Amino acid sequence: MYCRFTHLEEGDPVPYTDLGKDESGSGDHVRYTDSCISALLKESAEKFRDWVNCLSSDGTNVSYKKVGDGLPLWLWRGVTEVSAEPKQILHRLLRERYGSACIEPG
């Protein structure tokens, strides 16, 4: 069973028991829900494969992985929550340059 979100795209709410039904009216909402959850778990497992998490005490998630390009460099990723509007964050990232002042020697 393929997980489709046509009802959400159209914006028409449907009862839970109607999820997963095709045009002929056949389908099972339990199997549909299970297939959607399985697809989500598979996607999340593939998305974070080979990433190594680093410990951080300030609420920032920092991870790295080795890129298969033959160079001895790692690809780094940082995730944190910021209480600001996306427009403000984008402006700060694009317009305000801190250089090495934001990296503390350690």
Side-chain angles (χ1 to χ4, degrees):
M1 181 178 280
Y2 180 69
C3 187
R4 295 185 335 210
F5 296 101
T6 57
H7 295 294
L8 293 176
E9 292 170 0
E10 294 174 6
D12 298 330
V14 297
Y16 180 71
T17 54
D18 288 348
L19 288 175
K21 290 189 178 179
D22 57 13
E23 290 80 21
S24 66
S26 64
D28 182 15
H29 69 279
V30 176
R31 288 189 342 167
Y32 176 78
T33 305
D34 288 342
S35 68
C36 288
I37 291 171
S38 296
L40 177 65
L41 291 175
K42 181 180 177 185
E43 179 183 332
S44 66
E46 291 174 2
K47 184 176 181 180
F48 298 111
R49 185 183 324 141
D50 300 329
W51 287 94
V52 178
N53 287 324
C54 299
L55 295 177
S56 179
S57 61
D58 62 354
T60 302
N61 181 1
V62 179
S63 307
Y64 67 90
K65 77 174 183 176
K66 178 71 177 102
V67 182
D69 58 1
L71 298 174
L73 299 174
W74 294 339
L75 178 63
W76 288 86
R77 170 178 70 187
V79 178
T80 189
E81 289 191 25
V82 178
S83 58
E85 293 181 15
K87 185 176 180 179
Q88 293 173 325
I89 297 169
L90 184 62
H91 175 75
R92 187 163 186 161
L93 288 173
L94 295 176
R95 304 286 184 243
E96 298 178 19
R97 307 276 183 194
Y98 293 105
S100 62
C102 64
I103 301 174
E104 297 178 17

